Amino acid sequence: MSGEVLRLITRFKTACTNYDINTIDSHPALCETLDALAGDLRKDGDARIQFGVGDVWPEIHRLWRDLAHAQLTFWDGDNSDDGEDASSFKERRKQHSLSSLSVSLARFIRNLVAGVPGNQIKAFEDEPVIRRLLHYYTSWSSMEDEEASFAARILTQMLSNIITGNGALISSLWETYLNLQEDQVMLIRLLASPDNRILLAVLTMIVSCVHESRSRMKILTRTPIGARICITLLDVMVKLYDADEGSDGARAFDVGYSIFTRIIESGLAPDLYTKLVIPDEIVTPHQTTLLKLLDSYLQSTPVSSPGTKSRITRTHAKLCPMLSSLFFSLSSYAQTAIRKSLQSTPDIGPDDIRGPPAELDLLLPKVCEALVLTAQCIITISLAAHSHHHESPTSSNSTASTHENIYVFFNQVHFEGVGLVETLVEILRLLDKFLPRINFGKPVAMSAGPSVEEKKQMETSVSPSQQLTPAADSPGFNFLKRDLVRLLGILCSDDRAVQDRLRNCGGIEVVMNLCVIDERNPYLREHAIFALHNLLKENPANQAVVEKIKPAGQWDENGVLKDAPGAVRR
């Protein structure tokens, strides 16, 4: 052991000997020594190793015990006759001194254990005491105090350093924390903090725990406490979404996003989605947030190498059953709600302008929002499978087979005898009646009707609230028709059987009616025309249906509409 390290150990032991936890005046000297030692050890790995093998741990253990006892109890034997103001001052001074000592000791241990497994093991012996202190500093009243928040952050950073890179300690902490009562789980309490720096620290610790460990990931997504942690994590992601770039909040969001990336790539997103269920609710806010994260992951994950391509393909394959089941349940709910609304909505004119419905499901906008996200996820997976399907000669046999399975999965999947493409057609047919298209900020009639003069007369006799179904103003309906018809166009691409199925269920007419401009659905017309092109490509029977409809437009030799109609004329 070097002479410099011996000097540091001697300085530490002397400072510990000269302090008394119940004598506030002795605290500053110990804090000063701990802060100086933390600085000395921060950059010198050899010094950390040598310091840790010295006889310093009994003093360290005693410091933690003294701090926990003093911080969590009142002064004993205080029989002074001081007034209330003097007593409050003493209490505040005590709190400040103990918080400062906690911070200095945590900073010192944080640097002492960094990258030194032996020191980590010895420091972990104090985890129960550290947990008690964290419980105190994360109480509701303490989190309102800046000093307490700072102490909680440094303690969290220290605990993260103690376990980082040490699989045995990580497993021990993870198993312990996820088997505690909910109010004792420090991860949940820390994630509820309003301080983004604390969030960054605890999210970094969670990443260390779940890194490359599917077993710990399973505990996180399948156990009751794990699900409760995930619910709090999802709340954190919503809170941090608009954080300024480069801020602690933005960095915390990125770390949180990496946790959900690991959940998705481990194939555990379906398990987590199920854990977020609330009885008698078709979709919960936390499930919607998870779908947003899933959609973001699918759209932003690049395929840059064969290994990455194989991993992403496996991830896509694991998501297919969940997404198809979710699509069927959401669309079924939406269809039922829309039919009830349409049945209770009176027609008030020959132009299909409707009054407000007598019955309106208030959950429908949230259901449609989730339906849009589900459709976008299916679109991304289907496009990737379609692309790789055509590249299969350069892919491995197993990867090509998986792409082929994904490529046909959504076309073959059925629920209660109804296929996904038929479900798409029916929900689009209902939406076309329920949600009038918006052009120049106003609802547009769905079929040819009265003259211009009659329309003007009708506008003077019908209030704006009667011209548009109230539900149509909800942002939950945005992009709904566009994404559904886009998905329909992808599914029928180069698939004669699906093209025929769509003809038999009236899908051609539904798609043609969507070849319009709708401000609620940007690029709806373009996606509908693309879907129509895919429906007609090399399919004479489908082309014959269109010829009978006689649209106001012309088709080129490839079956593409040159001048799409605003609506089908019959």
Side-chain angles (χ1 to χ4, degrees), residues 503 508-509 512 536 540-553 555 568-570:
R503 180 184 69 249
I508 296 176
E509 294 87 346
M512 292 180 70
L536 302 181
N542 285 2
Q543 294 170 12
V545 171
V546 172
E547 287 298 322
K548 290 180 181 179
I549 295 175
K550 300 295 185 183
W555 306 92
V568 175
R569 295 183 181 176
R570 293 180 173 83

Side-chain angles (χ1 to χ4, degrees), residues 349-353 437 444-456 458 567-570:
D351 198 27
D352 273 353
I353 296 178
R437 62 189 177 94
V444 179
M446 292 185 294
S447 63
S451 64
V452 175
E453 290 75 18
E454 289 172 329
K455 288 181 180 180
K456 289 182 178 179
M458 186 180 296
V568 175
R569 295 183 181 176
R570 293 180 173 83

Side-chain angles (χ1 to χ4, degrees), residues 36-310:
L37 290 172
D40 292 333
L41 296 172
R42 183 170 62 90
K43 297 181 180 179
D44 193 337
D46 289 337
R48 292 197 293 271
I49 296 173
Q50 294 180 46
F51 194 98
V53 298
D55 187 23
V56 297
W57 292 104
E59 283 84 359
I60 291 174
H61 298 329
R62 181 170 67 89
L63 284 174
W64 283 122
R65 291 194 300 270
D66 288 349
L67 264 174
H69 177 76
Q71 187 72 84
L72 302 176
T73 59
F74 293 104
W75 288 107
D76 294 326
D78 185 4
N79 298 318
S80 65
D81 296 326
D82 294 337
E84 182 177 347
D85 290 344
S87 178
S88 297
F89 174 76
K90 286 180 62 178
E91 192 65 27
R92 289 195 301 271
R93 184 166 176 255
K94 168 199 169 186
Q95 284 294 101
H96 171 74
S97 183
L98 292 175
S99 295
S100 298
L101 187 53
S102 295
V103 167
S104 294
L105 180 57
R107 189 184 287 119
F108 164 65
I109 299 298
R110 180 188 68 186
N111 292 356
L112 176 62
V113 301
V116 184
N119 292 353
Q120 290 176 319
I121 293 171
K122 296 297 294 184
F124 192 75
E125 295 176 12
D126 294 310
E127 186 279 326
V129 178
I130 295 167
R131 194 192 322 151
R132 292 181 65 200
L133 283 170
L134 271 172
H135 189 276
Y136 173 82
Y137 285 123
T138 54
S139 65
W140 183 83
S141 57
S142 294
M143 293 303 283
E144 297 295 315
D145 179 70
E146 187 173 340
E147 260 189 6
S149 293
F150 182 60
R153 173 160 60 93
I154 302 301
L155 284 166
T156 304
Q157 291 174 350
M158 176 201 65
L159 191 57
S160 181
N161 267 20
I162 289 174
I163 64 171
T164 295
N166 194 314
L169 298 185
I170 290 174
S171 295
S172 177
L173 180 137
W174 199 247
E175 184 176 350
T176 299
Y177 276 28
L178 272 76
N179 282 284
L180 294 170
Q181 295 295 321
E182 183 175 324
D183 65 331
Q184 298 295 317
V185 180
M186 290 304 98
L187 300 178
I188 295 176
R189 296 172 71 92
L190 290 165
L191 287 169
S193 170
D195 189 333
N196 289 343
R197 293 169 296 181
I198 290 179
L199 295 179
L200 178 59
V202 67
L203 288 169
T204 301
M205 184 166 68
I206 293 174
V207 167
S208 296
C209 290
V210 299
H211 181 63
E212 295 184 352
S213 174
R214 196 169 189 272
S215 61
R216 288 191 288 272
M217 196 74 74
K218 284 182 180 179
I219 297 174
L220 181 63
T221 55
R222 294 180 176 178
T223 63
I225 290 299
R228 188 66 187 87
I229 291 172
C230 288
I231 287 172
T232 314
L233 274 170
L234 290 165
D235 288 334
V236 167
M237 298 302 287
V238 172
K239 170 191 170 184
L240 298 176
Y241 179 74
D242 291 324
D244 294 335
E245 186 174 355
S247 65
D248 290 318
R251 287 192 289 271
F253 180 89
D254 291 340
V255 176
Y257 186 83
S258 71
I259 295 172
F260 287 100
T261 294
R262 286 172 169 78
I263 290 175
I264 294 167
E265 292 180 347
S266 298
L268 295 170
D271 297 295
L272 178 56
Y273 190 90
T274 301
K275 278 293 181 182
L276 300 176
V277 167
I278 296 178
D280 301 325
E281 287 198 27
I282 181 66
V283 63
T284 68
H286 294 105
Q287 287 176 320
T288 300
T289 302
L290 180 60
L291 287 174
K292 290 179 180 178
L293 293 169
L294 177 58
D295 178 41
S296 176
Y297 167 82
L298 291 173
Q299 294 194 44
S300 62
T301 305
V303 182
S304 55
S305 66
T308 302
K309 182 182 293 186
S310 176

Side-chain angles (χ1 to χ4, degrees), residues 8 37 129 159 266 342 394 459 505 516 518 567:
L8 296 178
L37 290 172
V129 178
L159 191 57
S266 298
L342 291 174
T394 61
E459 289 172 359
C505 69
V516 294
D518 185 353

Side-chain angles (χ1 to χ4, degrees), residues 518-538:
D518 185 353
E519 293 175 7
R520 189 186 288 111
N521 292 271
Y523 301 105
L524 170 64
R525 178 178 180 272
E526 287 77 6
H527 284 298
I529 291 174
F530 178 75
L532 196 56
H533 164 70
N534 288 347
L535 272 169
L536 302 181
K537 185 178 179 182
E538 299 179 0

